[in-house]
Amino acid sequence: MSTLVLAEHNGQQLHNEVRHAVSAAQHWGQPVHLLVVGYQSEQIAKQAATVDGVTEVLHANAPQFEHPLAEDVSKLIDTLVTDYEVVMAAHTSFSRNVLPRVAAVAGVAMISDVLAIHPDNRYVRAIYAGNVHTTVQSRDAKQILTVRGSKFTAAELNGQAEITAVSVPEPFTKTRWISESRIESDRPALNSAKVVVSGGRSLGSAEKFDALLNPLAEKLGAALGATRAAVDAGYAPNEIQVGQTGVTVAPELYFAVGVSGAVQHTAGMKDSRIVVAINQDPDAPIFQVADYGLVADLFDAVPSLTNALS
Amino acid sequence: MKILVAIKRVVDYNIKVGIKGDGSNVDIDGVKMSANPFDENAIEQAIRLKEQGKADEVVAVSIGSSANQDVLRHALAMGVDRALLVEHETEVQSLEVAKLLQAVADKEQPDLILLGKQAVDDDAGQAGQMLAALLDYPQGTFASELDIENGEAIVTREIDGGTETVALQLPAVVTADLRLNDPRFVKLPNLMQARKKPIENLSASELVTDLTPRLSLINVAEPPQRKAGIKVDSVDALLQQLRTKEGIAL
């Protein structure tokens, strides 16, 4: 038996999380196959073939996958699932949409957002917004799971897997894709950035949020993040919200600027290697989780930090 | 058009749960319970669609013990028309929840099934997708906008790095994100009235024969905690620490 990993991409680039999922997939010690779903996606399949540890790339190329819907992707995986003991992916909105459908049709449980994989199909995952870690054991013959990418190392890109075309079922016609809106940015993606600069409500307005944090993020080559409070106040778009109801990040370096440190936010960033907090309030809870705390007026400190990086 | 809304009863999201001394499970004895917040967004959206004349009837369903009557009364007070309790004393996991909701959908024949994108206790985020798969329905997950037009549900979904809009032929399953709406406050008179409304009981084991959990709980533990580091008194001191002590090239 083999392990099947669902690969995510944006039409041009294989997402970094795929490499983390592939390294998690090595746990079972079985051949790892990577499934690339797309349209005119030969280039993606070739990238997938270079991920270390992948023995075969299954390439599903069809017009309905130009904007892949969960209904179509899960139908495709349903046709492959009998050949695999494990079907898994990184815990992204794409796979969270697809894999529960696969699990339901296969009649097995799914294990979401796995932090660690142990022998005998035991998994550690976070519950209650990351406040509790639980270990569960699956009693199913087939394992279907998503893993949190930041908890597993990224596979290298020295591989040379074979690419095999797979046949694609008829499209599911009851769902129609209409449009997509993504933030275009030269900056790294928030969930895989090495450095993240996040702003909280203390920034005071959308204008100040941008004026203060953009230059700093630019200098650091960092992705921009925001707290739920800053998003709710309209300072930043929802897409960049870091926290329990947003994106989970684990960069090398995390700057929390004007962030109070609500549990909702810390749940999404507490796996960062180094956390720097800049806040005027010396009692802000963020200082309890920060490696380096600077108690200062952020309207002075952030520009001088940006300047000092020149 | 009939809408079915599924509601999970969970530990109130404001409460930080503790762990039992032997690490066997979380300790929720005597803890305040509420409707799952994402499910409240689902209830709110269903009621708004009814208020807009786009739905005729909203039916709420919850799975669990008789204690679940409180979240169903809450839904009735918000404005749903009827409430169903699928009685089951022990925990049911996502797939079994989906199977039970499938059985309820077979009885009720709703045009739209709404539920939260995940429950704030187990954070699994699977029941909606599983239900859609079992019914072979279209799904609109993590919805931040939902409208009904010409027999289709138009759903704007929160995806990594942006949003996506899809049209779902009804009947369909939609799971609510927090941004879908702000659930209304329940007024006391409505709550009093809701107390008098009947709740229909269904037996889980009559709907689905095998409800055994597939995932066994081995233990629970506190996650590793971050510790407070040091305070620095200037930007220069901060950069020096990051450069020399942490070896970061800045």
mmCIF file of all heavy atoms in Angstrom, chain A residues 35-38 59-65 69-81 102 105 165-173, chain B residues 136:
data_model
loop_
_atom_site.group_PDB
_atom_site.id
_atom_site.type_symbol
_atom_site.label_atom_id
_atom_site.label_comp_id
_atom_site.label_asym_id
_atom_site.label_seq_id
_atom_site.Cartn_x
_atom_site.Cartn_y
_atom_site.Cartn_z
ATOM 1 N N LEU A 35 -0.643 13.789 -5.557
ATOM 2 C CA LEU A 35 -1.717 14.000 -6.527
ATOM 3 C C LEU A 35 -1.790 15.478 -6.912
ATOM 4 O O LEU A 35 -2.050 16.337 -6.066
ATOM 5 C CB LEU A 35 -3.063 13.543 -5.931
ATOM 6 C CG LEU A 35 -4.307 13.832 -6.783
ATOM 7 C CD1 LEU A 35 -4.258 13.099 -8.113
ATOM 8 C CD2 LEU A 35 -5.578 13.467 -6.014
ATOM 9 N N VAL A 36 -1.558 15.762 -8.179
ATOM 10 C CA VAL A 36 -1.664 17.136 -8.693
ATOM 11 C C VAL A 36 -2.929 17.229 -9.532
ATOM 12 O O VAL A 36 -3.112 16.484 -10.489
ATOM 13 C CB VAL A 36 -0.432 17.510 -9.543
ATOM 14 C CG1 VAL A 36 -0.651 18.843 -10.242
ATOM 15 C CG2 VAL A 36 0.811 17.566 -8.672
ATOM 16 N N VAL A 37 -3.806 18.141 -9.127
ATOM 17 C CA VAL A 37 -5.077 18.337 -9.808
ATOM 18 C C VAL A 37 -5.038 19.722 -10.435
ATOM 19 O O VAL A 37 -4.764 20.709 -9.745
ATOM 20 C CB VAL A 37 -6.228 18.261 -8.777
ATOM 21 C CG1 VAL A 37 -7.557 18.557 -9.428
ATOM 22 C CG2 VAL A 37 -6.248 16.892 -8.110
ATOM 23 N N GLY A 38 -5.297 19.808 -11.734
ATOM 24 C CA GLY A 38 -5.272 21.128 -12.360
ATOM 25 C C GLY A 38 -5.645 21.055 -13.819
ATOM 26 O O GLY A 38 -6.059 20.002 -14.315
ATOM 27 N N HIS A 59 -1.094 12.791 -12.012
ATOM 28 C CA HIS A 59 -1.468 14.076 -12.594
ATOM 29 C C HIS A 59 -2.872 13.978 -13.174
ATOM 30 O O HIS A 59 -3.109 13.244 -14.132
ATOM 31 C CB HIS A 59 -0.441 14.456 -13.674
ATOM 32 C CG HIS A 59 -0.669 15.817 -14.230
ATOM 33 N ND1 HIS A 59 -0.272 16.207 -15.472
ATOM 34 C CD2 HIS A 59 -1.258 16.901 -13.686
ATOM 35 C CE1 HIS A 59 -0.616 17.464 -15.679
ATOM 36 N NE2 HIS A 59 -1.211 17.907 -14.602
ATOM 37 N N ALA A 60 -3.800 14.721 -12.569
ATOM 38 C CA ALA A 60 -5.182 14.768 -13.053
ATOM 39 C C ALA A 60 -5.384 16.098 -13.748
ATOM 40 O O ALA A 60 -5.487 17.135 -13.088
ATOM 41 C CB ALA A 60 -6.160 14.600 -11.890
ATOM 42 N N ASN A 61 -5.408 16.070 -15.040
ATOM 43 C CA ASN A 61 -5.449 17.289 -15.842
ATOM 44 C C ASN A 61 -6.787 17.340 -16.573
ATOM 45 O O ASN A 61 -7.069 16.482 -17.405
ATOM 46 C CB ASN A 61 -4.286 17.235 -16.845
ATOM 47 C CG ASN A 61 -3.964 18.596 -17.411
ATOM 48 O OD1 ASN A 61 -3.821 19.554 -16.658
ATOM 49 N ND2 ASN A 61 -3.853 18.679 -18.732
ATOM 50 N N ALA A 62 -7.635 18.312 -16.240
ATOM 51 C CA ALA A 62 -8.949 18.393 -16.885
ATOM 52 C C ALA A 62 -9.484 19.816 -16.755
ATOM 53 O O ALA A 62 -9.157 20.518 -15.794
ATOM 54 C CB ALA A 62 -9.918 17.414 -16.222
ATOM 55 N N PRO A 63 -10.318 20.247 -17.729
ATOM 56 C CA PRO A 63 -10.827 21.631 -17.711
ATOM 57 C C PRO A 63 -11.532 21.995 -16.411
ATOM 58 O O PRO A 63 -11.416 23.137 -15.947
ATOM 59 C CB PRO A 63 -11.800 21.669 -18.890
ATOM 60 C CG PRO A 63 -11.367 20.573 -19.794
ATOM 61 C CD PRO A 63 -10.747 19.516 -18.929
ATOM 62 N N GLN A 64 -12.258 21.025 -15.816
ATOM 63 C CA GLN A 64 -13.001 21.393 -14.591
ATOM 64 C C GLN A 64 -12.069 21.717 -13.422
ATOM 65 O O GLN A 64 -12.505 22.227 -12.407
ATOM 66 C CB GLN A 64 -13.991 20.299 -14.173
ATOM 67 C CG GLN A 64 -13.392 19.039 -13.601
ATOM 68 C CD GLN A 64 -13.523 17.887 -14.581
ATOM 69 O OE1 GLN A 64 -13.366 18.051 -15.787
ATOM 70 N NE2 GLN A 64 -13.830 16.696 -14.057
ATOM 71 N N PHE A 65 -10.780 21.405 -13.587
ATOM 72 C CA PHE A 65 -9.834 21.689 -12.499
ATOM 73 C C PHE A 65 -9.124 23.023 -12.680
ATOM 74 O O PHE A 65 -8.162 23.321 -11.976
ATOM 75 C CB PHE A 65 -8.812 20.561 -12.377
ATOM 76 C CG PHE A 65 -9.407 19.257 -11.903
ATOM 77 C CD1 PHE A 65 -8.976 18.049 -12.437
ATOM 78 C CD2 PHE A 65 -10.396 19.241 -10.932
ATOM 79 C CE1 PHE A 65 -9.520 16.846 -11.999
ATOM 80 C CE2 PHE A 65 -10.952 18.046 -10.493
ATOM 81 C CZ PHE A 65 -10.515 16.847 -11.037
ATOM 82 N N LEU A 69 -13.011 22.487 -7.614
ATOM 83 C CA LEU A 69 -14.060 22.480 -6.592
ATOM 84 C C LEU A 69 -13.901 21.225 -5.741
ATOM 85 O O LEU A 69 -13.492 20.175 -6.247
ATOM 86 C CB LEU A 69 -15.439 22.447 -7.254
ATOM 87 C CG LEU A 69 -15.804 23.627 -8.155
ATOM 88 C CD1 LEU A 69 -17.072 23.310 -8.939
ATOM 89 C CD2 LEU A 69 -16.005 24.888 -7.307
ATOM 90 N N ALA A 70 -14.279 21.338 -4.478
ATOM 91 C CA ALA A 70 -14.203 20.186 -3.567
ATOM 92 C C ALA A 70 -14.981 19.002 -4.127
ATOM 93 O O ALA A 70 -14.552 17.856 -4.013
ATOM 94 C CB ALA A 70 -14.753 20.573 -2.200
ATOM 95 N N GLU A 71 -16.123 19.294 -4.758
ATOM 96 C CA GLU A 71 -16.980 18.229 -5.263
ATOM 97 C C GLU A 71 -16.242 17.403 -6.328
ATOM 98 O O GLU A 71 -16.343 16.176 -6.363
ATOM 99 C CB GLU A 71 -18.266 18.824 -5.859
ATOM 100 C CG GLU A 71 -19.180 19.500 -4.824
ATOM 101 C CD GLU A 71 -18.826 20.956 -4.542
ATOM 102 O OE1 GLU A 71 -17.656 21.346 -4.759
ATOM 103 O OE2 GLU A 71 -19.706 21.708 -4.097
ATOM 104 N N ASP A 72 -15.512 18.096 -7.214
ATOM 105 C CA ASP A 72 -14.793 17.395 -8.281
ATOM 106 C C ASP A 72 -13.527 16.718 -7.763
ATOM 107 O O ASP A 72 -13.213 15.595 -8.153
ATOM 108 C CB ASP A 72 -14.416 18.390 -9.393
ATOM 109 C CG ASP A 72 -15.607 18.732 -10.275
ATOM 110 O OD1 ASP A 72 -16.395 17.818 -10.590
ATOM 111 O OD2 ASP A 72 -15.762 19.918 -10.632
ATOM 112 N N VAL A 73 -12.780 17.411 -6.917
ATOM 113 C CA VAL A 73 -11.514 16.841 -6.433
ATOM 114 C C VAL A 73 -11.798 15.615 -5.573
ATOM 115 O O VAL A 73 -11.120 14.585 -5.671
ATOM 116 C CB VAL A 73 -10.691 17.891 -5.656
ATOM 117 C CG1 VAL A 73 -9.378 17.274 -5.175
ATOM 118 C CG2 VAL A 73 -10.410 19.114 -6.518
ATOM 119 N N SER A 74 -12.840 15.688 -4.741
ATOM 120 C CA SER A 74 -13.132 14.542 -3.876
ATOM 121 C C SER A 74 -13.639 13.350 -4.710
ATOM 122 O O SER A 74 -13.288 12.211 -4.435
ATOM 123 C CB SER A 74 -14.124 14.910 -2.774
ATOM 124 O OG SER A 74 -15.350 15.333 -3.299
ATOM 125 N N LYS A 75 -14.417 13.631 -5.751
ATOM 126 C CA LYS A 75 -14.863 12.538 -6.637
ATOM 127 C C LYS A 75 -13.667 11.830 -7.275
ATOM 128 O O LYS A 75 -13.649 10.612 -7.405
ATOM 129 C CB LYS A 75 -15.764 13.102 -7.757
ATOM 130 C CG LYS A 75 -17.242 12.974 -7.469
ATOM 131 C CD LYS A 75 -18.072 13.662 -8.535
ATOM 132 C CE LYS A 75 -18.248 12.822 -9.801
ATOM 133 N NZ LYS A 75 -19.144 13.488 -10.789
ATOM 134 N N LEU A 76 -12.675 12.629 -7.655
ATOM 135 C CA LEU A 76 -11.466 12.045 -8.241
ATOM 136 C C LEU A 76 -10.746 11.165 -7.218
ATOM 137 O O LEU A 76 -10.363 10.027 -7.516
ATOM 138 C CB LEU A 76 -10.539 13.174 -8.718
ATOM 139 C CG LEU A 76 -9.113 12.750 -9.072
ATOM 140 C CD1 LEU A 76 -9.101 11.937 -10.369
ATOM 141 C CD2 LEU A 76 -8.200 13.964 -9.200
ATOM 142 N N ILE A 77 -10.581 11.697 -6.001
ATOM 143 C CA ILE A 77 -9.861 10.916 -4.982
ATOM 144 C C ILE A 77 -10.654 9.644 -4.630
ATOM 145 O O ILE A 77 -10.068 8.598 -4.378
ATOM 146 C CB ILE A 77 -9.558 11.772 -3.729
ATOM 147 C CG1 ILE A 77 -8.698 12.983 -4.124
ATOM 148 C CG2 ILE A 77 -8.832 10.942 -2.668
ATOM 149 C CD1 ILE A 77 -8.413 13.946 -2.990
ATOM 150 N N ASP A 78 -11.986 9.735 -4.657
ATOM 151 C CA ASP A 78 -12.805 8.541 -4.403
ATOM 152 C C ASP A 78 -12.422 7.397 -5.342
ATOM 153 O O ASP A 78 -12.456 6.229 -4.956
ATOM 154 C CB ASP A 78 -14.299 8.852 -4.598
ATOM 155 C CG ASP A 78 -14.847 9.825 -3.564
ATOM 156 O OD1 ASP A 78 -14.182 10.037 -2.531
ATOM 157 O OD2 ASP A 78 -15.942 10.388 -3.797
ATOM 158 N N THR A 79 -12.068 7.740 -6.586
ATOM 159 C CA THR A 79 -11.725 6.694 -7.556
ATOM 160 C C THR A 79 -10.347 6.093 -7.280
ATOM 161 O O THR A 79 -10.028 5.024 -7.774
ATOM 162 C CB THR A 79 -11.725 7.234 -9.012
ATOM 163 O OG1 THR A 79 -10.653 8.162 -9.166
ATOM 164 C CG2 THR A 79 -13.039 7.898 -9.364
ATOM 165 N N LEU A 80 -9.515 6.802 -6.507
ATOM 166 C CA LEU A 80 -8.151 6.330 -6.253
ATOM 167 C C LEU A 80 -8.007 5.685 -4.879
ATOM 168 O O LEU A 80 -7.040 4.977 -4.611
ATOM 169 C CB LEU A 80 -7.178 7.524 -6.313
ATOM 170 C CG LEU A 80 -7.158 8.357 -7.601
ATOM 171 C CD1 LEU A 80 -6.379 9.654 -7.383
ATOM 172 C CD2 LEU A 80 -6.543 7.554 -8.742
ATOM 173 N N VAL A 81 -8.978 5.942 -3.992
ATOM 174 C CA VAL A 81 -8.761 5.735 -2.561
ATOM 175 C C VAL A 81 -8.522 4.277 -2.177
ATOM 176 O O VAL A 81 -7.809 3.997 -1.210
ATOM 177 C CB VAL A 81 -9.925 6.379 -1.765
ATOM 178 C CG1 VAL A 81 -11.143 5.462 -1.717
ATOM 179 C CG2 VAL A 81 -9.489 6.812 -0.398
ATOM 180 N N VAL A 102 -14.037 13.071 1.134
ATOM 181 C CA VAL A 102 -13.417 11.781 0.812
ATOM 182 C C VAL A 102 -13.624 10.811 1.976
ATOM 183 O O VAL A 102 -13.996 9.646 1.793
ATOM 184 C CB VAL A 102 -11.914 11.958 0.519
ATOM 185 C CG1 VAL A 102 -11.254 10.611 0.267
ATOM 186 C CG2 VAL A 102 -11.706 12.903 -0.673
ATOM 187 N N VAL A 105 -17.260 9.481 2.215
ATOM 188 C CA VAL A 105 -17.598 8.477 1.200
ATOM 189 C C VAL A 105 -16.877 7.161 1.491
ATOM 190 O O VAL A 105 -17.424 6.071 1.310
ATOM 191 C CB VAL A 105 -17.273 9.015 -0.214
ATOM 192 C CG1 VAL A 105 -17.406 7.921 -1.262
ATOM 193 C CG2 VAL A 105 -18.188 10.188 -0.551
ATOM 194 N N ALA A 165 -0.396 10.060 -15.707
ATOM 195 C CA ALA A 165 -1.705 10.703 -15.895
ATOM 196 C C ALA A 165 -2.790 9.796 -15.322
ATOM 197 O O ALA A 165 -2.734 8.580 -15.488
ATOM 198 C CB ALA A 165 -1.948 10.959 -17.372
ATOM 199 N N VAL A 166 -3.738 10.389 -14.618
ATOM 200 C CA VAL A 166 -4.860 9.590 -14.117
ATOM 201 C C VAL A 166 -6.143 10.060 -14.787
ATOM 202 O O VAL A 166 -6.281 11.242 -15.134
ATOM 203 C CB VAL A 166 -5.019 9.678 -12.570
ATOM 204 C CG1 VAL A 166 -3.864 9.002 -11.882
ATOM 205 C CG2 VAL A 166 -5.182 11.103 -12.091
ATOM 206 N N SER A 167 -7.079 9.142 -14.954
ATOM 207 C CA SER A 167 -8.324 9.535 -15.615
ATOM 208 C C SER A 167 -9.228 10.242 -14.621
ATOM 209 O O SER A 167 -9.207 9.973 -13.417
ATOM 210 C CB SER A 167 -9.009 8.332 -16.258
ATOM 211 O OG SER A 167 -9.282 7.380 -15.268
ATOM 212 N N VAL A 168 -10.005 11.157 -15.150
ATOM 213 C CA VAL A 168 -10.774 12.080 -14.315
ATOM 214 C C VAL A 168 -12.260 11.802 -14.510
ATOM 215 O O VAL A 168 -12.722 11.669 -15.643
ATOM 216 C CB VAL A 168 -10.443 13.534 -14.750
ATOM 217 C CG1 VAL A 168 -11.328 14.533 -14.030
ATOM 218 C CG2 VAL A 168 -8.971 13.830 -14.514
ATOM 219 N N PRO A 169 -13.027 11.676 -13.401
ATOM 220 C CA PRO A 169 -14.470 11.437 -13.551
ATOM 221 C C PRO A 169 -15.188 12.638 -14.177
ATOM 222 O O PRO A 169 -14.639 13.736 -14.228
ATOM 223 C CB PRO A 169 -14.960 11.194 -12.122
ATOM 224 C CG PRO A 169 -13.801 11.329 -11.217
ATOM 225 C CD PRO A 169 -12.612 11.756 -12.002
ATOM 226 N N GLU A 170 -16.417 12.406 -14.599
ATOM 227 C CA GLU A 170 -17.256 13.479 -15.134
ATOM 228 C C GLU A 170 -17.378 14.628 -14.131
ATOM 229 O O GLU A 170 -17.406 14.385 -12.929
ATOM 230 C CB GLU A 170 -18.671 12.932 -15.407
ATOM 231 C CG GLU A 170 -18.746 11.994 -16.591
ATOM 232 C CD GLU A 170 -18.459 12.721 -17.898
ATOM 233 O OE1 GLU A 170 -19.175 13.676 -18.212
ATOM 234 O OE2 GLU A 170 -17.485 12.334 -18.586
ATOM 235 N N PRO A 171 -17.465 15.864 -14.608
ATOM 236 C CA PRO A 171 -17.599 16.986 -13.671
ATOM 237 C C PRO A 171 -18.902 16.921 -12.870
ATOM 238 O O PRO A 171 -19.910 16.422 -13.353
ATOM 239 C CB PRO A 171 -17.608 18.216 -14.571
ATOM 240 C CG PRO A 171 -17.151 17.778 -15.906
ATOM 241 C CD PRO A 171 -17.399 16.313 -16.004
ATOM 242 N N PHE A 172 -18.824 17.435 -11.655
ATOM 243 C CA PHE A 172 -20.007 17.595 -10.793
ATOM 244 C C PHE A 172 -20.672 18.902 -11.238
ATOM 245 O O PHE A 172 -20.083 19.957 -11.143
ATOM 246 C CB PHE A 172 -19.521 17.702 -9.339
ATOM 247 C CG PHE A 172 -20.591 17.838 -8.299
ATOM 248 C CD1 PHE A 172 -21.125 16.719 -7.676
ATOM 249 C CD2 PHE A 172 -21.048 19.090 -7.908
ATOM 250 C CE1 PHE A 172 -22.083 16.846 -6.687
ATOM 251 C CE2 PHE A 172 -22.015 19.222 -6.923
ATOM 252 C CZ PHE A 172 -22.530 18.092 -6.314
ATOM 253 N N THR A 173 -21.854 18.814 -11.771
ATOM 254 C CA THR A 173 -22.412 20.001 -12.460
ATOM 255 C C THR A 173 -23.235 20.900 -11.540
ATOM 256 O O THR A 173 -23.661 21.975 -11.952
ATOM 257 C CB THR A 173 -23.311 19.552 -13.622
ATOM 258 O OG1 THR A 173 -24.264 18.626 -13.093
ATOM 259 C CG2 THR A 173 -22.500 18.884 -14.719
ATOM 260 N N ASP B 136 -24.550 13.781 -1.462
ATOM 261 C CA ASP B 136 -24.107 14.151 -2.810
ATOM 262 C C ASP B 136 -24.632 15.541 -3.199
ATOM 263 O O ASP B 136 -25.071 15.777 -4.313
ATOM 264 C CB ASP B 136 -24.520 13.095 -3.854
ATOM 265 C CG ASP B 136 -23.695 13.201 -5.133
ATOM 266 O OD1 ASP B 136 -22.539 13.658 -5.050
ATOM 267 O OD2 ASP B 136 -24.218 12.852 -6.208
#
